[in-house]
Amino acid sequence: MRHLQRHQFTRALRNTASLFSILLLAGTVCDLRAHTSLPGYLELNETSPGSFEMLWRIPAAEGPPPAIYPEFPANCVVPKQLVTQEAPGSVVERGLIQCGPKGLAGGSIEIENLQVTILDVLVRITFADGTSITQMLRPLAPSFVVHKDAKSHVDAMGYVRLGIGHILFGIDHLLFVLGLLLIVPGPRMLLKTITAFTIAHTTTLALATFGVVHLAPTPIEAVIALSIVFLAAELAQHRRGVQGLTYRKPWLVAFAFGLLHGFGFAGTLARIGIPAHDIPLALFSFNIGVELGQIAFVTAVLAFIYSLRTLEIQWPSWTYRVPPYAIGSLASFWFLQRCALIFSF
Amino acid sequence: MKTTRVRRLLSGGIAASLTLLAPAAASAHPMPGVGDFYAGMLHPLTAIEFLLPMIAISLLAGQQSREPAIAMLFTFPLSLAAGAALGVPIHLPSIVAWINLGSMAALGLLVATARPLPSSVAAGISALLGLTIGLANGAELGEQVSPWRFIPGFALAGLLLVTYGIGCVRRLRAPWMQIGFRVIGSWIAAVGVLVLSLR
Amino acid sequence: MKSTVLLRRARAVAWRALGVLTAVGITAAPALAHPNTGLGVGFVSGFTHPLTGLDHIMAMVAVGIWGTQLRKPAIWLLPVTFPLVMSVGGALGVRGVPLPGVEIGVAASAAVLGLMILLAARPPIWVAAVLVGAFAIFHGYAHGVELPKAAYPLAYGVGFVLSTGLLHLTGIALGLMERWPLGIKALRGVGAGISLGGALLLFGLIR
């Protein structure tokens, strides 16, 4: 018994060593970063009639931020120098916009260059009398006319799109689902596992959004990366004949880590800054979007595997090690990167 | 019985997933702000001049027997990557644009006739198309885009498209479906001939 | 028992239809998503152009119906080869190669094809191919003249080929009525209608 354990330990060590060597390679050569897809955010607070405090956040998860900027009506004066601040994953600009007696009502706000991106921008304007309007701008609809009485214009579809985008452009969540897909045998168990994952992340997403539980987002993101490493390790172990927990009870693992991923999603929603009365709608629609994106991804992967099987290719045995090591090294890289982020604050 | 149901479910799934992805792919072209990886994936799918010949090559791969199909499956994404890597320093826009239009007509015609090809020819065709599409896309890479992330995404898009094409054509064996694939080929060829005549 | 078989078949058909629609959707999506850009305008104008002329609509649907009446090789030979031949005609039109009798050819096509459906004529396949091929050249030529004016020729071409193809498919779908005795009569009625409409157009009585 003891001998077996030691054997397993050395095996795990060897695994980890090869994992890290690949990881180093991946890190130096590819500089691949997990991309957390966030919309841009423009907030305007009317401090005195006609003058607005502006907060403009451009997501810049990767490389230089896209060259998008808000364009205000002609009666508004934008200061030449804006206070710029670099935050992790975004650039924030602040300034005071003077619109004179006419204010913003009836004027048009446009996000320049938005049509050459695939970003959404959430615009929220709070007027001096406390009323506020919210509007989602998209590449195909980059402008809107400010009507003070207009109802909030981030409809359910806007949040659904956000959810779809968040999962499809968030490689880390996708890799986790991919890991589960590779482990789970048969469609019935797959359904069970995905359902468990969904229930779990829905629960924590709701808890976090309603403020019942609060966790700092950066450590959560680090642990999410770690959850992918765990799955990859289980996959690699399985090739050597070890039946890990995920193989025996995939739904349990999916549930446990689903709780974590839910906090991750909540972080995204929180950073957008939803108006309080919008929360239930936003939560529900965002979750629907995440589900749709997840189903789309699972279908795409299954269709890929299924299409590939028509060719009955005899893959050499080493190729089966490629997915676990590739997934594992990427995820470990993100883990280290996110850990570094934690300590840089 | 059970397998046929799964089969149908999945063939529908291929269709449904493509539908879901289509709007995302349809978004604007240069796309800063997305990861360069995604930019690589979406870039060839958002331009008709690349999308149509790529659909044609994926259907052609599906129409072949096993060996040529496997050959095409491997050569196409690899040559896409090679072409894109070469395209960063080398710019041959005019010739490449010609070849891409011509390949639309030629590949569409091959799909319409559903000709079985020897492995070497099939591999050669897909390598040539991959290189030209890769060259054209690589040349469009700006200074800001990292080729290390763009090219894997780009090759992955090619791999997915060819694999789905193979899956569709090889699984949906009903005679009228097979004719349907040939009809798509002939439509692509028709577009190619029309646009080629403008040059 | 029978109903389950029917249900299963219906489901299979539905899945496949979904597949075909997606293929069409993917091709069209980049254009449709940009209704205000050159791409979208090109696609929409290409797609609607074949739908603006009554003679063209009637002739394309007639080609589909006649194809099903001609049975086995023709029913699939037609939708595969017609777009190709038409694109050659279109290329001639783009290049401005003079082609005599285009106007008359286009106008006569609906009348002649309608007559073929009415008579349920089954000439040797090559006769049918030459007849349809000639009409395809004329129709393609007539549309091809428009192509260089298009905002985005590639999108125009896609829209144009797609809508013509869908007209064929409509004709083929109508032609499937041939399975029922009543359907045969109905088809002949449609043929008579197309023929009459084509003749009226030919002599300029309606437009």
Side-chain angles (χ1 to χ4, degrees):
Chain A
M1 197 61 212
R2 199 158 163 201
H3 169 76
L4 189 74
Q5 270 178 0
R6 193 190 307 153
H7 191 60
Q8 275 189 5
F9 178 72
T10 44
R11 200 187 275 161
L13 207 67
R14 209 185 315 137
N15 259 352
T16 323
S18 33
L19 210 76
F20 270 85
S21 60
I22 296 181
L23 152 78
L24 224 69
L25 201 76
T28 45
V29 176
C30 298
D31 186 28
L32 265 168
R33 280 180 235 174
H35 173 83
T36 0
S37 151
L38 278 173
Y41 181 54
L42 175 67
E43 189 181 270
L44 295 167
N45 275 319
E46 194 172 21
T47 47
S48 59
S51 65
F52 293 84
E53 260 179 20
M54 180 189 73
L55 184 153
W56 167 232
R57 199 191 54 223
I58 316 156
E62 243 176 84
I68 53 175
Y69 57 91
E71 189 70 42
F72 294 97
N75 59 313
C76 294
V77 181
V78 183
K80 286 270 177 302
Q81 287 295 318
L82 293 168
V83 182
T84 307
Q85 185 187 1
E86 297 219 359
S90 60
V91 175
V92 177
E93 291 181 344
R94 288 166 206 276
L96 196 66
I97 314 285
Q98 303 281 3
C99 293
K102 231 180 113 195
L104 273 174
S108 156
I109 294 183
E110 178 172 1
I111 307 297
E112 290 289 319
N113 293 334
L114 192 64
Q115 67 275 12
V116 298
T117 70
I118 62 171
L119 286 170
D120 293 343
V121 170
L122 191 81
V123 182
R124 185 141 62 113
I125 307 174
T126 310
F127 293 98
D129 59 2
T131 57
S132 71
I133 56 173
T134 315
Q135 177 89 27
M136 187 81 88
L137 297 181
R138 311 194 172 102
L140 292 178
S143 69
F144 81 110
V145 176
V146 181
H147 288 299
K148 211 175 150 187
D149 310 322
K151 259 192 83 218
S152 163
H153 257 83
V154 183
D155 48 349
M157 261 324 277
Y159 289 112
V160 169
R161 281 170 46 96
L162 210 60
I164 296 179
H166 182 67
I167 187 115
L168 286 186
F169 290 107
I171 291 197
D172 44 357
H173 302 302
L174 290 187
L175 275 190
F176 185 80
V177 177
L178 179 65
L180 285 178
L181 269 175
L182 292 177
I183 286 176
V184 174
R188 191 174 291 248
M189 189 51 109
L190 181 66
L191 196 68
K192 215 167 142 186
T193 310
I194 296 285
T195 312
F197 184 61
T198 304
I199 292 173
H201 71 63
T202 308
T203 313
T204 44
L205 174 60
L207 285 179
T209 313
F210 284 115
V212 181
V213 187
H214 181 77
L215 290 174
T218 327
I220 287 289
E221 305 244 303
V223 187
I224 286 176
L226 206 57
S227 73
I228 305 164
V229 180
F230 173 79
L231 280 193
E234 293 263 283
L235 261 172
Q237 291 280 357
H238 183 65
R239 296 276 159 232
R240 299 166 188 227
V242 182
Q243 287 274 342
L245 180 65
T246 321
Y247 278 87
R248 280 174 280 134
K249 295 205 164 66
W251 55 269
L252 189 68
V253 172
F255 186 83
F257 287 129
L259 294 172
L260 271 175
H261 284 249
F263 281 118
F265 297 147
T268 304
L269 261 189
R271 268 178 284 179
I272 305 164
I274 323 160
H277 62 88
D278 257 8
I279 285 183
L281 171 82
L283 190 63
F284 180 73
S285 320
F286 182 78
N287 216 15
I288 296 273
V290 167
E291 266 4 279
L292 285 178
Q294 201 168 285
I295 292 169
F297 177 73
V298 168
T299 323
V301 173
L302 286 182
F304 178 76
I305 294 172
Y306 166 78
S307 297
L308 211 55
R309 282 207 185 129
T310 60
L311 291 176
E312 292 160 9
I313 302 174
Q314 299 292 319
W315 297 98
S317 62
W318 62 265
T319 53
Y320 287 97
R321 286 195 207 145
V322 173
Y325 282 95
I327 296 173
S329 38
L330 254 178
S332 326
F333 180 69
W334 292 332
F335 175 66
L336 294 182
Q337 197 182 34
R338 287 166 185 189
C339 281
L341 263 181
I342 299 174
F343 294 116
S344 68
F345 284 95
Chain B
M1 182 58 219
K2 199 180 166 191
T3 50
T4 55
R5 201 190 305 150
V6 173
R7 212 177 263 182
R8 262 181 216 142
L9 209 71
L10 283 177
S11 58
I14 298 181
S17 61
L18 288 177
T19 325
L20 279 169
L21 291 173
S27 296
H29 216 218
M31 295 182 290
V34 213
D36 294 345
F37 180 78
Y38 286 107
M41 266 188 94
L42 297 180
H43 197 261
L45 303 179
T46 49
I48 305 177
E49 59 265 46
F50 305 134
L51 182 62
L52 289 187
M54 278 169 79
I55 290 177
I57 201 106
S58 76
L59 293 177
L60 187 66
Q63 287 172 336
Q64 305 306 314
S65 56
R66 190 171 160 267
E67 271 81 38
I70 293 176
M72 291 174 82
L73 179 71
F74 284 107
T75 45
F76 186 63
L78 287 177
S79 56
L80 272 183
L86 286 174
V88 177
I90 307 172
H91 288 245
L92 302 162
S94 57
I95 304 168
V96 166
W98 263 98
I99 298 177
N100 280 333
L101 284 179
S103 66
M104 208 187 290
L107 287 170
L109 208 61
L110 281 173
V111 174
T113 52
R115 277 195 81 83
L117 301 167
S119 289
S120 52
V121 176
I125 289 174
S126 66
L128 186 68
L129 182 74
L131 274 176
T132 54
I133 291 185
L135 275 170
N137 277 272
E140 281 182 31
L141 271 187
E143 292 280 307
Q144 298 182 344
V145 183
S146 149
W148 291 108
R149 295 179 225 157
F150 183 92
I151 292 175
F154 182 59
L156 180 63
L159 176 69
L160 286 176
L161 206 60
V162 172
T163 315
Y164 289 148
I166 289 175
C168 277
V169 181
R170 288 177 79 92
R171 291 281 184 186
L172 304 171
R173 303 281 351 163
W176 70 272
M177 284 303 297
Q178 294 295 316
I179 294 167
F181 295 127
R182 298 177 60 174
V183 170
I184 294 175
S186 102
W187 290 359
I188 293 175
V191 174
V193 170
L194 277 177
V195 181
L196 209 57
S197 68
L198 274 178
R199 293 270 166 160
Chain C
M1 199 57 222
K2 200 182 167 196
S3 68
T4 53
V5 172
L6 266 179
L7 193 69
R8 205 182 303 148
R9 281 188 64 179
R11 211 180 290 153
V13 169
W15 279 123
R16 281 163 195 173
L18 188 63
V20 172
L21 279 180
T22 331
V24 173
I26 287 193
T27 339
L32 284 178
H34 298 201
N36 299 322
T37 59
L39 200 62
V41 171
F43 178 80
V44 170
S45 67
F47 193 85
T48 49
H49 192 259
L51 303 177
T52 48
L54 195 59
D55 50 351
H56 189 72
I57 297 179
M58 290 198 301
M60 293 306 111
V61 174
V63 164
I65 298 178
W66 197 34
T68 50
Q69 281 185 334
L70 287 169
R71 307 263 168 82
K72 251 303 146 59
I75 191 172
W76 63 265
L77 207 64
L78 227 85
V80 175
T81 46
F82 194 94
L84 285 172
V85 180
M86 198 168 72
S87 71
V88 172
L92 293 179
V94 171
R95 285 279 158 205
V97 178
L99 190 68
V102 173
E103 294 296 317
I104 297 169
V106 168
S109 62
V112 173
L113 289 170
L115 196 65
M116 292 298 156
I117 297 170
L118 174 64
L119 301 175
R122 298 189 62 188
I125 186 78
W126 66 268
V127 175
V130 167
L131 192 63
V132 173
F135 288 147
I137 296 268
F138 287 143
H139 278 272
Y141 189 94
H143 291 302
V145 179
E146 299 287 318
L147 191 63
K149 298 175 206 154
Y152 194 102
L154 194 51
Y156 181 94
V158 172
F160 164 53
V161 169
L162 207 60
S163 87
T164 304
L166 290 178
L167 283 176
H168 283 158
L169 292 187
T170 312
I172 291 174
L174 281 175
L176 294 179
M177 283 199 299
E178 221 197 7
R179 290 181 188 181
W180 304 291
L182 200 65
I184 296 179
K185 287 191 184 129
L187 274 187
R188 291 189 157 205
V190 173
I194 292 177
S195 184
L196 184 65
L200 288 176
L201 279 174
L202 185 57
F203 297 112
L205 294 176
I206 56 170
R207 53 180 71 240

